[in-house]
């Protein structure tokens, strides 16, 4: 479990966290400064709006967000090649990179370039990411394998889905009801710098909705909670008005935080629900086709070869344990069944 | 049998459509995933896996990466330190070298090397010298200790890089490397004068960054030295380690 977070952290922290490091704001530092301004026991106000504006008011990852939106728009228009070019603009290591890899895979799928779609899903389902990847990545791989009649691959992908995603999916579903779990407690204890990054989430990321740390409302409420909590520990207990104000902010922000977690978890659960339904359908289709294709003659298969490489390229075997620098460098060659084949039961 | 299978499959499909997952999929209501019915049923059927294995479709995958360093028409300058093994039993020879390599492609490069040799006596050399000196001092006949030590050498080499790989040292990052073979010839200056030198060997070039390289090399070299007794052919091995700067 730790390995997955470490890998993505290594990949993401390489660019994202470092680039954000200079712009991040420490809540504890801010509260310390605010405490120094509280001179009179009576006269004191506490508002985090300035802090929120400073920490969350600026757009982070704007370029990548724009590239993602542009790519999605092109995808929706059916301009898959242009969409792929736009997805490629999102740098490796960016928060949205995994999302871009997945959507690039779907673009290749729509182009019926199944080998390239598989190459993308292999990155997503590499051991480093399999536990934190979107469940849709499994559907991409499963459906692509079905398309090329790699039924064994379909069953293996589903088995992998079960092993890697089940506990996360159920945990997120549980979060949709409760709004809270141990991971959130752990995260909130440590959180101090805003805007949040993946590093701040640590292992908790595997038990929370995807990209929760990028959600503005979640960050805003977490920031308010942390700031009020910190301020409560520093202000004079005899300043009752201020203490009451802080306690109110603290309680309200905690409620709002839980509510937001529930909303995010429910949205993800709804998505997961649909994906699981589709995976079940793919499985049924695969079971059916296994029985019909088992006697398919050799001539009905199309065997493709790997592309020739130049001296500037290095080729390594895919042993199922890719190194961090090998992610998104997969190439797939398939022996696939004829797409136009009519199957008889 | 086929009909039976079809019936079974239809039943599975129907039961799936009416599974709790399907039943709760009404729009607007929160979705509820039932792990046992919706997830645990996926994959894991051994009989089906065996059957699926018989279907001829397969997919193979590999990883294709770009080289970290572009070594097309690229110059590399390097410095090295080496030690000579074999050769004259009385001499311990070490060298400091400078090298220029022109990489034509990542597979081939041409290089020019200059080595400056430093020589010292081995323990056997010291012993034989001491023995000769003692014999001379007592007025007896001393054995002539004849050594023709190498001073410097200039070489031109061709390098061929047929094997590549990469390594991760203490999680400090991933380094690509090439194992290469080299062959060449040149001139060696000995105490007695110049002589021709032939060499062949193998090395490992690690590309630490876009501009820094490290090389470890093991080279066999052949040359002739001049002793009082005449010409002697020497076969030595030079091991060296160097760092380079790639332009």
């Amino acid at each position: 479990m730790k390995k997955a977070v470490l890998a993505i952290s290594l990949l993401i922290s390489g660019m994202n966290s470092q680039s954000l490091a200079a712009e991040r704001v420490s809540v504890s530092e801010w509260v310390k400064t605010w405490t120094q301004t509280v001179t009179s026991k009576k006269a004191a106000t506490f508002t985090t709006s300035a802090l929120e504006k400073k920490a969350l008011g600026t757009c982070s990852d704007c370029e990548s967000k724009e590239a993602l939106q542009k790519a999605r728009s092109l995808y929706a228009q059916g301009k898959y090649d242009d969409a792929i070019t736009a997805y490629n603009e999102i740098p490796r290591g960016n928060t949205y990179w995994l999302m871009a890899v997945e959507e690039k895979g779907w673009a290749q799928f729509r182009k019926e370039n199944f080998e390239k779609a598989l190459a993308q899903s292999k990155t997503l389902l590499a051991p480093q990411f399999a536990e934190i990847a979107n469940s849709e990545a499994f559907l991409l791989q499963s459906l692509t394998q079905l398309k090329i009649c790699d039924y064994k691959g379909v069953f293996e992908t589903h088995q992998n889905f079960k092993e890697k995603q089940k506990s996360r999916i159920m945990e997120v579903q549980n979060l949709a009801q409760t709004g809270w779990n141990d991971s959130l407690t752990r995260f909130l204890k440590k959180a101090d710098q805003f805007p949040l990054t993946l590093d701040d989430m640590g292992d908790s990321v595997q038990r929370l909705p995807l990209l929760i740390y990028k959600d503005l409302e979640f960050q805003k409420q977490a920031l308010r909670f942390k700031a009020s909590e910190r301020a409560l520990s520093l202000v004079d207990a005899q300043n009752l008005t201020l203490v009451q104000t802080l306690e109110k902010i603290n309680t309200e922000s905690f409620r709002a935080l839980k509510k937001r977690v529930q909303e995010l978890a429910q949205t993800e659960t709804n998505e997961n629900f649909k994906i699981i339904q589709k995976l079940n359908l793919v499985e049924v289709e695969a079971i059916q086709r296994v029985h019909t294709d088992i006697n398919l003659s050799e001539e009905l298969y199309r065997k493709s070869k790997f592309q020739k490489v130049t001296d500037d390229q290095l080729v390594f075997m895919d042993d199922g344990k890719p190194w961090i620098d090998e992610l998104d460098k997969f190439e797939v060659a398939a022996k696939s069944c004829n797409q136009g084949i009519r199957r008889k039961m | 049998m086929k009909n039976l299978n079809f019936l079974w499959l239809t039943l599975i499909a129907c039961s799936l459509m009416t599974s709790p997952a399907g039943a709760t999929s009404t729009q607007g209501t929160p979705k509820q995933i039932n792990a046992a019915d919706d997830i645990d049923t996926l994959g894991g059927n051994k009989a089906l896996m065996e059957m699926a294995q018989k279907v001829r479709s397969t997919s193979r995958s590999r990883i294709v990466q770009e080289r970290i360093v572009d070594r097309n028409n690229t110059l590399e300058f390097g410095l090295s330190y080496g030690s000579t093994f074999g050769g004259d039993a009385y001499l311990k020879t070490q060298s400091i070298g400078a090298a220029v390599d022109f990489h034509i492609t990542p597979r081939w490069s041409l290089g020019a090397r200059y080595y400056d040799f430093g020589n010292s006596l081995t323990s056997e050399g010291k012993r034989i010298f001491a023995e000769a000196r003692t014999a001379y001092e007592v007025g007896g006949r001393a054995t002539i200790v004849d050594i023709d030590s190498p001073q410097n050498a200039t070489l031109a080499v061709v390098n061929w890089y047929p094997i590549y790989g990469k390594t991760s040292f203490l999680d400090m990052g991933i380094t690509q490397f090439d194992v290469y073979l080299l062959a060449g010839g040149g001139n060696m200056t000995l105490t007695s004068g110049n002589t021709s030198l032939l060499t062949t060997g193998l090395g490992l070039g690690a590309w630490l960054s876009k501009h820094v390289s490290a090389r470890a090399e093991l080279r066999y070299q052949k040359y002739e030295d001049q002793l009082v007794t005449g010409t002697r052919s020497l076969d030595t091995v030079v091991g060296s380690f160097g760092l380079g700067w790639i332009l």
Side-chain angles (χ1 to χ4, degrees):
Chain A
M1 289 286 266
K2 269 193 175 174
K3 197 179 156 194
V5 177
L6 181 70
I8 187 101
S9 291
L10 272 173
L11 202 70
I12 290 176
S13 67
M15 298 178 71
N16 196 35
S17 304
Q18 280 170 16
S19 64
L20 282 172
E23 306 152 26
R24 295 178 81 198
V25 182
S26 161
V27 170
S28 56
E29 287 300 317
W30 182 85
V31 173
K32 212 191 240 174
T33 315
W34 171 82
T35 318
Q36 284 160 7
T37 65
V38 185
T39 48
S40 156
K41 278 184 183 177
K42 286 181 183 175
T45 51
F46 182 86
T47 170
T48 53
S49 53
L51 175 65
E52 282 167 30
K53 198 177 171 189
K54 196 176 172 191
L56 309 172
T58 50
C59 177
S60 60
D61 295 327
C62 276
E63 281 178 21
S64 300
K65 261 185 209 168
E66 277 167 24
L68 193 67
Q69 276 163 5
K70 186 178 141 196
R72 282 175 175 171
S73 158
L74 290 163
Y75 181 95
Q77 292 166 43
K79 295 174 182 171
Y80 301 120
D81 287 324
D82 296 337
I84 290 165
T85 310
Y87 284 126
N88 285 336
E89 284 172 24
I90 297 166
R92 200 175 124 98
N94 184 275
T95 312
Y96 300 105
W97 179 70
L98 275 183
M99 220 177 255
V101 172
E102 190 215 314
E103 291 174 24
K104 209 160 47 174
W106 283 112
Q108 296 288 8
F109 182 87
R110 287 297 181 96
K111 283 180 71 189
E112 300 199 348
N113 203 338
F114 301 122
E115 286 161 347
K116 287 191 174 167
L118 269 181
Q120 300 299 327
S121 71
K122 275 197 164 283
T123 296
L124 296 163
L125 305 191
Q128 289 91 335
F129 300 136
E131 283 156 347
I132 52 169
N134 189 336
S135 55
E136 206 171 345
F138 288 84
L139 179 65
L140 170 66
Q141 177 150 307
S142 166
L143 205 54
T144 311
Q145 285 165 328
L146 182 74
K147 280 282 185 183
I148 61 167
C149 308
D150 181 6
Y151 309 122
K152 186 174 166 258
V154 171
F155 301 136
E156 281 170 351
T157 302
H158 289 183
Q159 182 68 28
N160 193 19
F161 174 78
K162 210 158 58 175
E163 287 165 9
K164 303 284 182 189
Q165 292 269 311
K166 184 182 159 186
S167 62
R168 211 187 85 80
I169 286 171
M170 299 319 290
E171 186 67 43
V172 171
Q173 178 165 275
N174 197 35
L175 261 182
Q177 286 164 354
T178 61
W180 207 256
N181 64 11
D182 296 348
S183 301
L184 277 165
T185 311
R186 276 204 306 276
F187 147 72
L188 214 53
K189 261 186 191 170
K190 281 195 217 160
D192 182 52
Q193 305 267 333
F194 287 82
L196 296 170
T197 65
L198 181 71
D199 292 345
D200 298 318
M201 308 306 289
D203 280 349
S204 306
V205 79
Q206 288 161 342
R207 300 181 68 220
L208 296 174
L210 291 168
L211 293 181
I212 190 169
Y213 61 95
K214 295 296 289 179
D215 183 71
L216 266 183
E217 179 63 17
F218 175 80
Q219 291 195 74
K220 195 168 85 180
Q221 298 305 337
L223 182 146
R224 281 182 189 173
F225 179 81
K226 286 297 290 184
S228 55
E229 186 190 51
R230 182 87 181 134
L232 270 170
S233 68
L234 295 175
V235 295
D236 186 349
Q238 287 179 342
N239 191 341
L240 286 176
T241 322
L242 184 58
V243 169
Q244 278 171 356
T245 311
L246 287 169
E247 277 175 349
K248 195 182 167 204
I249 293 173
N250 194 253
T251 314
E252 280 174 3
S253 59
F254 184 70
R255 273 196 206 125
L257 193 64
K258 268 181 84 173
K259 190 170 169 272
R260 187 61 189 155
V261 170
Q262 275 180 306
E263 284 167 5
L264 292 171
Q266 189 57 57
T267 308
E268 191 169 312
T269 302
N270 292 348
E271 282 304 309
N272 285 337
F273 177 85
K274 283 183 205 163
I275 300 296
I276 292 166
Q277 276 190 317
K278 287 174 188 172
L279 284 173
N280 274 292
L281 285 173
V282 171
E283 176 129 342
V284 171
E285 180 72 16
I287 293 168
Q288 183 177 324
R289 287 204 198 171
V290 163
H291 289 83
T292 57
D293 287 4
I294 199 158
N295 296 318
L296 218 60
S297 65
E298 187 72 32
E299 302 85 65
L300 290 168
Y301 289 90
R302 186 180 60 88
K303 193 175 179 182
S304 69
K305 287 179 182 171
F306 286 122
Q307 286 181 347
K308 278 190 177 174
V309 291
T310 65
D311 284 347
D312 292 316
Q313 291 172 309
L314 311 178
V315 178
F316 297 101
M317 269 176 61
D318 173 23
D319 60 355
K321 295 171 190 164
W323 290 18
I324 196 86
D325 65 320
E326 293 173 345
L327 298 166
D328 88 340
K329 307 284 180 203
F330 287 100
E331 198 181 293
V332 176
K335 182 182 170 188
S336 54
C337 59
N338 196 328
Q339 296 302 311
I341 187 170
R342 190 181 165 192
R343 291 174 173 78
K344 287 180 186 171
M345 295 298 289
Chain B
M1 189 62 187
K2 269 189 180 177
N3 288 337
L4 196 67
N5 283 334
F6 179 58
L7 184 68
W8 179 66
L9 287 167
T10 314
L11 279 171
I12 290 174
C14 290
S15 67
L16 183 90
M17 297 308 170
T18 55
S19 73
T24 52
S25 65
T26 328
Q27 254 187 348
T29 54
K31 309 287 192 263
Q32 278 293 305
I33 300 159
N34 183 318
D37 290 342
D38 303 331
I39 303 178
D40 291 345
T41 49
L42 289 167
N45 187 319
K46 277 187 184 174
L48 272 171
M49 283 289 271
E50 277 169 25
M51 213 168 168
Q53 209 146 6
K54 289 175 189 163
V55 177
R56 292 181 180 92
S57 285
T58 50
S59 65
R60 298 170 295 141
S61 57
R62 64 180 189 175
I63 290 144
V64 181
Q65 282 184 289
E66 300 295 317
R67 286 180 182 270
I68 293 170
V69 180
D70 176 9
R71 299 205 329 264
N72 291 294
N73 301 322
T74 306
L75 270 175
E76 179 190 357
F77 294 94
L79 290 171
S80 67
Y81 168 79
S83 192
T84 305
F85 307 99
D88 198 313
Y90 302 147
L91 268 186
K92 187 164 82 179
T93 306
Q94 289 170 314
S95 63
I96 289 173
V100 182
D101 283 280
F102 177 68
H103 295 271
I104 304 161
T105 70
R107 295 267 185 213
W108 292 96
S109 76
L110 298 172
R113 314 269 170 98
Y114 174 81
Y115 297 101
D116 191 53
F117 297 107
N119 301 287
S120 59
L121 287 173
T122 60
S123 52
E124 178 61 13
K126 283 176 189 163
R127 190 191 63 78
I128 203 82
F129 260 103
E131 211 171 69
R133 193 174 293 119
T134 311
Y136 179 75
E137 279 167 6
V138 295
R141 287 182 63 190
T143 319
I144 300 166
V145 185
D146 193 9
I147 297 171
D148 191 7
S149 55
Q151 303 301 305
N152 59 63
T154 313
L155 278 172
V157 289
V158 172
N159 300 300
W160 179 47
Y161 305 80
I163 300 166
Y164 57 73
K166 61 181 178 179
T167 182
S168 173
F169 182 68
L170 294 174
D171 285 336
M172 281 161 57
I174 293 161
T175 303
Q176 293 179 354
F177 63 81
D178 285 79
V179 174
Y180 60 93
L181 299 172
L182 69 92
N187 179 67
M188 183 184 253
T189 306
L190 300 161
T191 319
S192 62
N194 288 339
T195 182
S196 58
L197 171 73
L198 289 173
T199 187
T200 180
L202 73 105
L204 186 141
W207 320 109
L208 305 179
S209 75
K210 278 188 189 294
H211 295 291
V212 181
S213 65
R215 282 174 185 262
E217 207 170 88
L218 209 57
R219 220 160 34 76
Y220 159 80
Q221 59 182 23
K222 186 179 179 67
Y223 62 94
E224 287 179 342
D225 65 355
Q226 297 293 328
L227 302 179
V228 176
T229 49
T231 304
R232 179 179 62 167
S233 177
L234 280 176
D235 301 291
T236 61
V237 173
V238 181
S240 64
F241 176 78
L243 288 170
W245 180 256
I246 305 159
L247 286 183

